[in-house]
Amino acid sequence: MENIIGAAGQVLTDAQVRAFVLARLADEDLAGQRVCVIVPDATRSCPLPLLLGAVHEALDGRAAAVTVLIALGTHAPMTPEQLDRHLGGPYPGFEVRNHEWWLPETLVSLGGITAERVAQLSEGRMRQPVDVTLNRAVVEHDVCLVIGPVFPHEVVGFSGGNKYFFPGVAGQEIIGFSHWLGALISSAAIIGTRGLTPVRALIDEAAALIPARRLALCLVVQSGTGALHAAAFGPTEQAWAACADVSAQTHVRYLDTPVRRVLSIIPEKYDDMWTGAKGFYKVEPIVADGGQVIIYAPHITRISQMHPEIEQLGYHCRDYFVKQWDRFAGHHWGVLAHSTHLRGAGTWDPDHGERPRVTVTLATGIPEPVVRAANLDYLDPAAVDVEALAGAPETFVVPQAGEVLFRLR
């Protein structure tokens, strides 16, 4: 039985996808098993109604119990109405839960990764132990089935696979830990890197402690449509690697020369800057030194619902934190990482202060005082003429920003 269907440049039909899911699940020993199905929230493009419909057909009356767990990471929980739209259904016999990462009682420790092992995995960037905690639903089931897309990612290289456990349904400590490791490498350096990056190695090490059998249905989604280029099934590491290869051909586009200005148009599925910042991550590599990225998202009215502390911390380059670590080590490392990812590359020293490589300008519904207090530039979104900017010299306009990575050749 084939473990992957589709390829870069292809678009699969719903019938092909459904048949693939049914066949692959039929081939697995799932009778009488308790299955935890881990899926993304609405910030990821993914045809979940199609996929969960096939999973329900394959497992209904066969599995002993099925829980659908929403991999929020540290995003806001989804309401029942949002879940209905996102998941489709109904799916009788399936229990649906948000990953309640803010409630310690929903988490369980699987043990730890030693400081020495962390140093090996991080290539010497970090040397301290980390407790591996995740949603207890994972260990209360016999099988975990990850369903989710693979895209270039600012923390780990390419998303998907075991990333749906860590950070998807993990505790805050290891979420912050893994994100800070990515920040130390930097978004521009790691995003779109194939293979076993230090962050992916850390995530895989943590996932190996999960007692349940781990399977994945990884997907390469046509950005902006939800249609699938490819789908791979198997152990999480293998299915992820197969789709990462296709994503690298599908979701990375190349420019010959850098541009002075990028207008990044953020889709409405990103409802705050915590998630909408992907519109910066994916274009930073093509911006010339001293250039500008305009994040255009009139619908976004807040920086972060779940992490309001970012408004006080502000956005800064990595060295701003690293070279003043005594001041910042007590902050949530995931928040520090997010700060560096949206600020981008730059330098800091006590004599010259902070010197970012590019300017980040928010043209959003976030009030100007909030934007400037967070150390970003402000532009009234009503003053943005998308058509005029599209015709302006040295300006590059990215519609539906956040999934496709732009790089220089």
Side-chain angles (χ1 to χ4, degrees), residues 217-374:
L217 174 63
C218 293
L219 315 161
V220 181
V221 179
Q222 186 179 51
S223 182
T225 72
L228 296 184
H229 292 294
F233 183 90
T236 51
E237 294 86 355
Q238 294 174 22
W240 167 79
C243 280
D245 286 343
V246 180
S247 178
Q249 301 171 61
T250 304
H251 299 134
V252 184
R253 298 177 190 166
Y254 293 90
L255 272 63
D256 292 323
T257 57
V259 296
R260 298 296 304 173
R261 179 169 57 192
V262 175
L263 177 67
S264 213
I265 302 175
I266 308 302
E268 294 199 1
K269 67 181 176 183
Y270 303 126
D271 62 2
D272 62 7
M273 277 314 302
W274 189 270
T275 55
K278 288 183 180 294
F280 175 79
Y281 313 152
K282 296 299 198 304
V283 302
E284 181 186 4
I286 63 170
V287 184
D289 290 349
Q292 178 190 33
V293 177
I294 301 172
I295 302 293
Y296 179 61
H299 65 281
I300 290 179
T301 59
R302 59 193 174 194
I303 291 180
S304 175
Q305 175 183 346
M306 305 306 291
H307 301 281
E309 63 268 35
I310 190 65
E311 292 187 17
Q312 284 70 49
L313 182 71
Y315 289 93
H316 301 280
C317 69
R318 176 193 61 193
D319 288 359
Y320 179 87
F321 298 119
V322 170
K323 294 184 177 181
Q324 303 181 89
W325 191 238
D326 288 346
R327 286 181 57 193
F328 296 108
H331 288 263
H332 188 285
W333 290 5
V335 175
L336 297 182
H338 168 72
S339 173
T340 71
H341 289 148
L342 181 54
R343 180 68 272 189
T347 61
W348 181 91
D349 64 63
D351 296 324
H352 301 96
E354 189 170 14
R355 290 176 290 183
R357 189 182 75 82
V358 302
T359 298
V360 182
T361 302
L362 300 193
T364 68
I366 303 171
E368 180 175 1
V370 175
V371 172
R372 296 198 182 278

Side-chain angles (χ1 to χ4, degrees), residues 378-398:
Y378 173 85
L379 177 63
D380 183 350
V384 175
D385 186 332
V386 174
E387 186 175 337
L389 283 170
E394 294 193 89
T395 298
F396 188 72
V397 176
V398 180

Side-chain angles (χ1 to χ4, degrees), residues 176-221:
F177 196 94
S178 61
H179 277 65
W180 185 240
L181 173 57
L184 290 174
I185 298 168
S186 84
S187 170
I190 202 170
I191 193 168
T193 300
R194 296 161 71 177
L196 200 64
T197 65
V199 184
R200 174 65 63 177
L202 178 74
I203 288 170
D204 285 353
E205 186 92 358
L209 297 175
I210 296 172
R213 182 155 59 105
R214 290 175 289 116
L215 298 170
L217 174 63
C218 293
L219 315 161
V220 181
V221 179

